[in-house]
């Protein structure tokens, strides 16, 4: 039992789970726009997510919320190095224009952890008014915009609506994490739950989700994708409304983070039905 728990902890702490969530979003984009499976781009984003997240989480070990993570830090660092080399390998195989196009999103990830503001004392993560938007922007870029750009899709209204929807969905996915972190975040870091309270944060999240549902039916994607989105929509509302400050260890980091993967699997299930 302890081996299973340690394996699950490593799976989460090494950002493999969040990498799969991002990968699922990329695959959903390919399904929505009928793109061929692009192994090189998909794996580049998957390993890039693991590399980027571990860099952000462990760049400054002293600021970790949970000190017990440092026991396995060396193993995570080795795995991150492997992921970095894998990212570079698949990056070498994709179109150079796609690599250039990904630079703004990659740069936002780096600056999220590296201090460059106020005399190199603050990073983007410490800008409470921008923090959640930056994360959503990066996820939108890598999971919606880059796969379509690499496939040569021209900018259009459906693509714009899809990108906005992805941005908003990620915003809501982050809210349970922000609710959890109210007890950990510094007083100066005024996240949404700290500014307006937990209950109002949940109401805001539901309002945003309703708008994503409108965007789903405004888009010109296949009708077979609507039902899976509806299921994802209700699952996300359920997890958002049940989120609390003193939540279980795996509530956000595993269950909430699993929702994009569940959405992808539901789509595959509907396609094979």
């Amino acid at each position: 039992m302890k081996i299973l728990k340690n394996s699950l902890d490593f799976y989460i702490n090494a950002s493999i789970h969040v990498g799969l969530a991002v990968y699922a979003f990329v695959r959903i984009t390919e399904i929505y726009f009928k793109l061929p499976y692009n192994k090189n781009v998909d794996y580049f984003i998957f390993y890039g997510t693991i590399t980027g997240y571990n860099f952000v989480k462990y760049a400054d070990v002293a600021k970790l919320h949970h000190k017990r993570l440092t026991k396995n830090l060396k193993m995570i660092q080795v795995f991150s190095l492997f992921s970095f080399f894998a990212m570079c390998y698949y990056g070498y195989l994709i179109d150079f224009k796609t690599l250039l196009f990904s630079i703004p999103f990659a740069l936002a990830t780096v600056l999220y952890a590296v201090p460059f503001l106020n005399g190199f004392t603050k990073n983007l993560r410490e800008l409470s008014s921008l923090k959640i938007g930056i994360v959503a922007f990066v996820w939108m870029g890598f999971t919606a915009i880059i796969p379509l750009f690499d496939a040569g899709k021209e900018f259009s209204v459906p693509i714009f609506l899809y990108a906005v929807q992805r941005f908003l969905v990620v915003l809501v996915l982050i809210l349970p994490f922000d609710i959890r972190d109210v007890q950990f975040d510094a007083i100066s870091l005024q996240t949404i739950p700290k500014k307006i309270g937990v209950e109002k944060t949940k109401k805001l999240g539901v309002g945003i989700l309703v708008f994503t549902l409108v965007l789903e039916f405004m888009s010109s994607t296949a009708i077979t994708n609507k039902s899976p989105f509806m299921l994802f929509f209700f699952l996300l509302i359920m997890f958002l409304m049940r989120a609390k400050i003193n939540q279980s260890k795996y509530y956000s980091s595993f269950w909430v983070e699993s929702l994009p993967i569940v959405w992808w699997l539901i789509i595959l299930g509907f396609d094979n039905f």
Side-chain angles (χ1 to χ4, degrees), residues 36-56:
Y37 172 58
N38 192 329
K39 174 183 174 182
N40 295 334
V41 169
D42 294 5
Y43 280 7
F44 168 71
I45 294 172
F46 171 70
Y47 286 112
T49 299
I50 294 174
T51 302
Y53 259 77
N54 286 345
F55 172 73
V56 168

Side-chain angles (χ1 to χ4, degrees), residues 32-249:
Y32 263 58
F33 290 90
K34 296 181 173 56
L35 306 181
Y37 172 58
N38 192 329
K39 174 183 174 182
N40 295 334
V41 169
D42 294 5
Y43 280 7
F44 168 71
I45 294 172
F46 171 70
Y47 286 112
T49 299
I50 294 174
T51 302
Y53 259 77
N54 286 345
F55 172 73
V56 168
K57 284 197 291 187
Y58 306 116
D60 190 351
V61 177
K63 291 184 179 180
L64 282 177
H65 292 157
H66 307 286
K67 292 182 180 180
R68 64 180 176 273
L69 298 186
T70 59
K71 296 179 181 178
N72 298 318
L73 186 58
K74 194 164 224 177
M75 192 183 301
I76 292 173
Q77 287 175 329
V78 171
F79 180 74
S80 299
L81 185 62
F82 164 79
S83 298
F84 173 73
F85 286 133
M87 177 193 72
C88 292
Y89 170 74
Y90 286 107
Y92 174 76
L93 297 178
I94 66 178
D95 194 297
F96 185 65
K97 290 181 179 179
T98 303
L99 275 180
L100 289 178
F101 190 76
S102 68
I103 288 177
F105 306 107
L107 185 61
T109 302
V110 172
L111 297 181
Y112 192 78
V114 176
F116 72 103
L117 298 169
N118 288 0
F120 298 97
T121 60
K122 282 190 174 183
N123 52 38
L124 292 177
R125 179 166 45 184
E126 296 174 271
L127 300 178
S128 55
S129 57
L130 295 176
K131 175 187 171 184
I132 190 171
I134 293 165
V135 176
F137 168 76
V138 173
W139 277 57
M140 176 198 71
F142 279 111
T143 67
I145 303 299
I146 289 176
L148 292 170
F149 177 84
D150 185 77
K153 292 286 185 179
E154 294 185 2
F155 183 79
S156 62
V157 172
I159 288 177
F160 173 75
L161 295 177
Y162 183 80
V164 171
Q165 184 199 56
R166 177 60 48 81
F167 178 87
L168 296 175
V169 163
V170 175
L171 278 182
V172 179
L173 280 168
I174 296 170
L175 293 180
F177 290 86
D178 279 354
I179 291 172
R180 177 198 67 186
D181 291 342
V182 164
Q183 60 186 319
F184 300 119
D185 289 332
I187 296 175
S188 58
L189 191 58
Q190 291 296 304
T191 58
I192 293 176
K194 277 196 170 186
K195 283 183 176 180
I196 66 175
V198 172
E199 292 308 312
K200 287 184 178 179
T201 296
K202 292 178 180 181
K203 291 177 182 178
L204 175 64
V206 172
I208 292 173
L209 278 177
V210 170
F211 186 59
T212 67
L213 186 61
V214 173
L215 291 175
E216 180 72 17
F217 284 90
M218 285 175 62
S219 67
S220 60
T221 54
I223 192 66
T224 53
N225 295 327
K226 312 298 182 188
S227 295
F229 181 81
M230 288 291 293
L231 291 173
F232 169 76
F233 171 84
F234 286 115
L235 281 172
L236 184 46
I237 286 181
M238 181 185 74
F239 275 94
L240 173 63
M241 296 308 293
R242 289 175 62 86
K244 54 186 179 181
I245 295 175
N246 296 310
Q247 57 188 249
S248 67
K249 177 182 176 181

